[in-house]
Structures are given as C-alpha cells and as structure tokens.
Amino acid sequence: MARNKYDIDETLQSEFNFSHLKRLGSYIKPYRKDIFITILLLTISSGLGMLAPRILMVIMDDYIPNGNIKAIAVVSILLLLIYFIVSVIMKMKITLTARMGQNIIHQIRSDIFGHLQKLPFSYYDDKPHGKIQVRVVNYVNSLSDLLSNGIVNTVTELFSLVFIVAFMLSINVRLTLVCLTGLPLLMAVIFTIKKKQRVAWQRMSNKQSNLNAYIAESINGIRVTQSFTREQENIEIFNTLSNDYRSAWMRAVKLNFLLWPAINNISTWTMAAVLFLGITWLDGGLEGITIGVLVAMTGYIGRFWQPITTMANFYNSLLNAVSYLERIFETIDEPVLVKDAPDAIEMPPIVGEVKFKDVTFSYEDDVPVLNGISFTAKVGDTIAIVGPTGAGKTTIINLISRFYNLDSGELTIDGIDINKVKIASLRKQMGVMLQDSFIFSGTIMDNIRYGNMEATDEQVIEAAKTVRAHDFIVNLENGYETEVNERGTRLSVGQRQLISFARALLADPKILILDEATSSIDTETEILLQEGLSRLLKGRTSFIIAHRLSTIKNSTCIMYVDKGLIQEMGNHEELLAKKGYYYELYMSQYKFLEKS
C-alpha cells in the first residue's frame, strides 16, 4: 500500500464493480428467511393499504348517492381493521429489519477487524491509524440504514408499485397512462447525476478519512502538542481538514437532494395533468370517468410516487454505500504478506538456537536495511545488538518473530526455517518486549496476564516480583486490580516498561527479545532488575537492544550493527580490545556519564 498521511487523499487500488454488491449479498444471504418473511408481511400490508382509495371510490359513487348508511358503517369498521393490521405489521417489520441489519453490520465489522489482526507491520507503517479506524467504525456504520431498511423497503415498495399500477389500471387505463408519462423524465434525471453522485461520495469519504486520521494523531500526541504550545497551529490544520470535509459533504448531499425535488415536481405535474384531463373528460361525458374515479386516481397517484421516492432514496443510499464498500472490501482484500505457508507445520518446542544466513531485508524497494547478515545464537546465549539509530537493530529482532518476510537469505530456529512453520506456534514460544511499552485499558493484573491468559494470579505476581515491578504495584490504590487507561498514561514510562517486562516474562519463553527494555528505568531499579534477569536469562536465548551499554556488559555476544551490516561481533572485553566501533561508542558514553 502506498504511503499515506492525514493530508493526502487515499487512492482506490481498484474501481467499483458489481461484484462488490454481489459480495455484500453474501452477508445478506444467511438472513434470506427473515427478509422473505418481512417482505411478505410488508406486501400484505401494502396490498391492504391499497384498498383504501378503492373503497373510498365505492363510497362516493355508490353508498353516498344511494344513502346506504349501514354499508358506510361496515366499510368504516373494515378500514379501521385494515389500518390496525398494517400498524402491527410495521411493528414486526421494524424489529426484524433492525435485528437483521445489525447482525450483518456486526459480521462485516468482525471480518474487517479480524483481517486487520493478520496484516503485517508494513501495513500499519504506511497508513495513519485513524484512516484504518474510520473504515472499521464509520464506514461500516454508514451501511446500517441500507441493510436494516433500504433493501427490504425497496423490494416491498416495488411490490407496492405493482399493486398501485394494477389498481389504477382497473379503475381507468387512460388516466393511468397519463400518470406513467412522468417516469421517463425521472429516469433521465437519475442517469444524468449518477456518476457525479458516486464521485462526490468518494471524495467525501476521503475527506472524512483525512479528518479522522488527524484527530487520532492529535489525541495520541496531545502531550507533545501542549509541551511545544502547538495548540493554535493544530486547530488551524483541523479547521482546514474539517472545512474540506464539510465542502465535500455539502457537494454530495446537494447532488443527493436533486432527486427529491425532481420526484416532487414530476408528481405534481402528473397529478395536475390527471386532474385537468379527468375534469375535461368528465365534462365531456367520457364513459368511465366519475367523481369517485378522479378521487381514487388522485389517491393512487400520491401513493404511486411514494415507492418511487423510496426507491430513489435507496438508489442514493446505494451510491453512498458504494464509496464505503470500496474502502471496506479493499481493506478486507489487503494481502496478508506474512502468513502461514500452505504446508506449514507446527513449530516444535523451541530449544533456542537462532541462525541468520545471508539475510537481506528492505522496507522499501531498493533500499536495504539489512544486507546479507549472518550470525548464530546458540542455546542460552544472550546477544546484545548495538549501533546508531536506523542501523537495523530492531529490524533484526522483528525478523526473528517473523513480523516481516525476508527479501532473501534464511532464518532458522533449531535448524527449522521459520517460513515453514505456523506463525502462531512460533510466536507463542517467544517473549517480546518492544520499544513501545503499550499498556491496554484494564487492570494491571490483566495487562501482565496478556502474555499468558492461563496464568494464575500467583504466577502474575511472581513475574512482577522478578522484574521488580511488585513494589510499586502494591503501593497503588488497588494494587494489581488498579485500573489503568489506554496506553497507561497514569503510570510513569519506567513503570509501563516494568509491566511490559513482566508480561513478556510470564509467557516463560525459550527465546526472549528485549528492545530498549531498560531505557526508561532509573539506575537503582535497573540494578534490582538485573538481579532478577540473571536467573531468567539462564537457559534461554535472548536478544537485547540497548543504548545503555552498562546493561549488556555480561552478554555472551555483542554485535555492532551499522549500514545494514554487522561491523563487529564479540564479547565486551574482546570488542574493547579491538578499539573499533564498539570501543568508541562505549568510551563516548563512559565519558558522558563521567562528566555528568
């Protein structure tokens, strides 16, 4: 997917075609029984409702002139019964369609969210998270009315239209044909604005996506914004994006609203034509034209354009939905680049040997981050990876967890190519603490248990004690049951890292990956943490990325990575003796600490 940000409109990878609607139909198919029942009920309701003008015609042309009061009373009771039955059916329709629509919405949202769980890091690297979120929430919600009412109402109104035309033809063919002359004019209007409507709704969805992306980014970065007093600049950017969205929305709605006045005008013109010609033919004594006929025909003409209006509104909703369906299905169709091979096997219990052989990797074409690196981590080794920012350190550990696919080369664990095993069976045997210590909303106990949902409270507490998080946790208002909000903003950075560390350790991994695990922990806590880790690292293969070199002095092997290559490799003493890259890095840090 092409790189994108909040001020760049998204470009669809493929144009809309009718297969999108067919695909939407696959979500509707399981509810065809409910749809059939609803349509049947509404058809009955519509048919009953169509009797009213016909009954009114009989009353005016027969019962009233003949003074048949008893018949008028009976027919009035019949009308009341009809309207009662119609109201009951409408209540049943609302319940059925609401339930069906929300079930379909739930399934679509579940599918798109489930697919997002499988997409590789590269997908999230290239797209603002707000633009992803708007597809899962806003775009899917926008289909709700279409699925809940639009389809059922349109099919029902189509049947109603057939009933109305049949009743009109049974009353007077000539006046019915006058009424139908408005349809070609309406079709001309619809086809004239159709393409403009779709383009307008696509543009509106782009601007909505941009606005949502900026809102999400601004919320996540609010501390930085206020620290650098960027509030006013951010408000200006927001207003620009909001105005773009408003303009796009107004354009789309303006085109949508062209249909309603068109239908209203055409309906008025046909009504006027029927009345004018009907009265003229009535005065001329044309056979079959009576006052009752005119009253019934005008009643049916008003009803005739009601289903036309409903179908036109459905057409508008469909054009609106198309712009969202394109985005939704585009996301669901986003290829899962990192996935199990067809013949993938379960990863056997990991012992811990990790081997890179001529591994090359790039995030962008022709810009390699790693260029043919090779090394072997034996069982129980602690491998420290150091080097300048952007050298590829984090990339190495991401490849071990198979968050990305290699461009070339081979990466094996215990001699097994990780491309040939099931990803879940690989990752569940590894403990990973990434540089970003993400804390989920919920209790501290739940956050630590996230790494092993079957762990007991005692095991959670033991893990926290090992990483020296227990002391600060028990001092919180509710201890391990203390609620923390999203991203753990109530906790210090160091506390969040300790909780994330406990989460990784609770999984009891054979391979442990720590990315800047102690970067935000004070020196005193770091000393305590090292005591607990010395026991944990024994018998496990570990990979540690650290800028604070004091934390990796006892590592089995230290690799200095720069420019996509391993420039140096050896233990602490060996690398210092070489007086190369690592020596310069260590001495510069040592001198800095000495001065401070």
Side-chain angles (χ1 to χ4, degrees):
M1 180 169 289
R3 289 190 179 277
N4 195 270
K5 56 180 186 174
Y6 67 79
D7 57 350
I8 298 177
D9 288 346
E10 296 176 281
T11 302
L12 279 172
Q13 302 300 310
S14 60
E15 289 299 317
F16 174 80
N17 55 64
F18 282 99
S19 64
H20 288 81
L21 294 179
K22 183 178 179 181
R23 191 169 175 180
L24 180 62
S26 67
Y27 287 96
I28 300 172
K29 189 176 180 180
Y31 302 96
R32 56 186 181 275
K33 182 178 179 181
D34 284 347
I35 293 175
F36 175 77
I37 292 172
T38 305
I39 291 175
L40 179 62
L41 289 173
L42 288 179
T43 302
I44 294 171
S45 171
S46 178
L48 290 173
M50 292 305 110
L51 292 174
R54 183 84 187 200
I55 292 173
L56 190 60
M57 182 186 75
V58 173
I59 291 173
M60 296 192 68
D61 284 348
D62 187 359
Y63 297 164
I64 291 178
N66 295 324
N68 194 342
I69 304 300
K70 183 179 179 180
I72 293 174
V74 171
V75 169
S76 298
I77 294 172
L78 178 62
L79 282 174
L80 286 174
L81 181 61
I82 288 173
Y83 288 131
F84 174 75
I85 293 172
V86 168
S87 64
V88 171
I89 289 176
M90 289 306 297
K91 182 179 183 299
M92 294 172 64
K93 172 257 183 186
I94 291 171
T95 302
L96 283 170
T97 55
R99 182 179 63 195
M100 177 186 66
Q102 288 308 306
N103 285 341
I104 296 171
I105 289 297
H106 167 74
Q107 189 58 55
I108 295 174
R109 184 177 287 118
S110 178
D111 285 353
I112 189 172
F113 184 78
H115 190 70
L116 288 172
Q117 305 306 298
K118 303 173 186 176
L119 292 177
F121 283 4
S122 55
Y123 177 80
Y124 300 95
D125 293 341
D126 293 337
K127 181 181 285 292
H129 295 175
K131 291 195 176 186
I132 300 172
Q133 182 184 21
V134 76
R135 296 185 180 208
V136 181
V137 181
N138 300 58
Y139 289 0
V140 176
N141 283 347
S142 297
L143 302 177
S144 180
D145 186 60
L146 175 73
L147 296 172
S148 296
N149 297 300
I151 296 173
V152 170
N153 285 349
T154 301
V155 174
T156 305
E157 294 290 15
L158 188 60
F159 282 113
S160 297
L161 192 60
V162 173
F163 280 130
I164 292 169
V165 173
F167 273 108
M168 290 171 67
L169 288 171
S170 70
I171 294 172
N172 191 278
V173 174
R174 187 174 297 186
L175 291 178
T176 301
L177 293 177
V178 172
C179 178
L180 295 178
T181 56
L183 285 180
L185 183 59
L186 177 62
M187 296 304 295
V189 173
I190 290 175
F191 280 103
T192 300
I193 64 176
K194 178 181 69 172
K195 186 175 181 180
K196 292 180 179 179
Q197 281 181 300
R198 178 172 178 263
V199 171
W201 283 114
Q202 280 184 341
R203 185 171 184 272
M204 194 279 293
S205 69
N206 278 337
K207 301 307 178 184
Q208 181 185 27
S209 180
N210 292 348
L211 182 61
N212 201 77
Y214 188 69
I215 291 172
E217 180 181 295
S218 298
I219 292 172
N220 288 333
I222 191 64
R223 294 177 182 274
V224 177
T225 296
Q226 294 185 1
S227 297
F228 287 90
T229 62
R230 281 270 307 181
E231 294 91 340
Q232 190 57 44
E233 289 86 346
N234 286 7
I235 291 171
E236 291 174 2
I237 294 172
F238 172 85
N239 286 337
T240 298
L241 295 172
S242 184
N243 282 329
D244 288 344
Y245 171 66
R246 180 183 62 181
S247 299
W249 187 87
M250 290 297 293
R251 168 67 176 169
V253 170
K254 180 180 177 182
L255 288 169
N256 252 25
F257 285 169
L258 285 177
L259 271 183
W260 181 82
I263 294 172
N264 195 45
N265 286 331
I266 294 171
S267 172
T268 302
W269 297 338
T270 55
M271 178 79 76
V274 166
L275 287 173
F276 176 77
L277 292 173
I279 292 171
T280 301
W281 292 333
L282 178 66
D283 291 341
L286 191 66
E287 186 177 351
I289 303 294
T290 65
I291 295 295
V293 167
L294 283 179
V295 171
M297 286 298 294
T298 53
Y300 281 123
I301 290 173
R303 292 169 183 246
F304 173 81
W305 288 103
Q306 183 177 342
I308 297 290
T309 302
T310 300
M311 287 188 284
N313 288 335
F314 172 76
Y315 176 77
N316 277 335
S317 298
L318 189 61
L319 287 176
N320 185 359
V322 162
S323 64
Y324 297 127
L325 282 174
E326 289 168 327
R327 306 294 184 185
I328 291 168
F329 289 144
E330 181 187 55
T331 303
I332 293 177
D333 292 338
E334 186 70 28
V336 181
L337 301 177
V338 181
K339 60 183 178 180
D340 295 337
D343 57 348
I345 62 172
E346 290 286 331
M347 183 70 188
I350 290 176
V351 178
E353 183 187 71
V354 179
K355 186 173 184 178
F356 278 64
K357 183 179 180 180
D358 296 325
V359 170
T360 298
F361 174 79
S362 58
Y363 293 103
E364 298 178 6
D365 294 339
D366 302 322
V367 185
V369 177
L370 300 178
N371 196 358
I373 68 168
S374 299
F375 70 89
T376 300
K378 296 179 180 178
V379 178
D381 280 354
T382 299
I383 307 296
I385 308 173
V386 299
T389 301
K393 303 185 296 297
T394 299
T395 300
I396 291 175
I397 63 172
N398 281 339
L399 294 180
I400 297 172
S401 299
R402 208 183 160 206
F403 290 137
Y404 299 91
N405 288 324
L406 308 180
D407 291 350
S408 63
E410 186 178 59
L411 199 169
T412 63
I413 295 178
D414 299 335
I416 301 173
D417 188 341
I418 64 172
N419 289 319
K420 297 179 180 179
V421 302
K422 294 181 179 178
I423 296 174
S425 69
L426 169 69
R427 292 177 184 167
K428 72 181 181 181
Q429 298 188 64
M430 303 173 70
V432 181
M433 180 179 170
L434 300 175
Q435 191 169 0
D436 181 14
S437 302
F438 194 92
I439 300 297
F440 297 89
S441 57
T443 66
I444 290 178
M445 179 73 76
D446 290 338
N447 266 278
I448 297 176
R449 190 179 279 122
Y450 195 85
N452 180 1
M453 298 304 292
E454 297 178 357
T456 64
D457 290 356
E458 291 73 19
Q459 290 172 319
V460 170
I461 294 170
E462 183 60 32
K465 287 180 177 178
T466 302
V467 301
R468 298 300 189 265
H470 178 75
D471 291 342
F472 90 80
I473 293 174
V474 295
N475 286 324
L476 297 173
E477 62 266 29
N478 295 312
Y480 283 86
E481 297 303 318
T482 300
E483 293 278 344
V484 290
N485 52 2
E486 183 182 345
R487 304 194 70 87
T489 51
R490 291 181 58 192
L491 305 171
S492 70
V493 177
Q495 289 172 335
R496 294 202 298 269
Q497 283 194 317
L498 289 175
I499 290 174
S500 297
F501 217 154
R503 177 195 298 161
L505 303 188
L506 189 62
D508 192 23
K510 290 299 181 182
I511 295 177
L512 183 63
I513 295 174
L514 309 176
D515 186 354
E516 293 293 338
T518 61
S519 62
S520 299
I521 299 174
D522 60 80
T523 304
E524 182 179 349
T525 305
E526 182 187 330
I527 294 172
L528 295 173
L529 180 60
Q530 291 294 341
E531 295 175 5
L533 288 179
S534 63
R535 297 197 312 271
L536 177 73
L537 296 179
K538 189 175 181 179
R540 287 183 171 85
T541 305
S542 304
F543 293 86
I544 303 175
I545 295 177
H547 285 105
R548 194 182 297 182
L549 302 184
S550 60
T551 62
I552 61 170
K553 289 171 64 175
N554 297 325
S555 298
T556 309
C557 178
I558 299 172
M559 297 191 307
Y560 187 95
V561 178
D562 191 17
K563 299 177 181 177
L565 298 169
I566 300 174
Q567 303 291 348
E568 289 181 339
M569 182 186 299
N571 61 35
H572 178 69
E573 288 76 15
E574 290 171 345
L575 293 180
L576 286 182
K578 284 185 178 180
K579 293 192 175 181
Y581 295 104
Y582 179 77
Y583 174 83
E584 292 179 3
L585 181 64
Y586 182 81
M587 293 307 294
S588 64
Q589 194 170 110
Y590 178 78
K591 289 177 181 178
F592 174 79
L593 292 172
E594 196 175 52
K595 289 178 181 179
S596 61

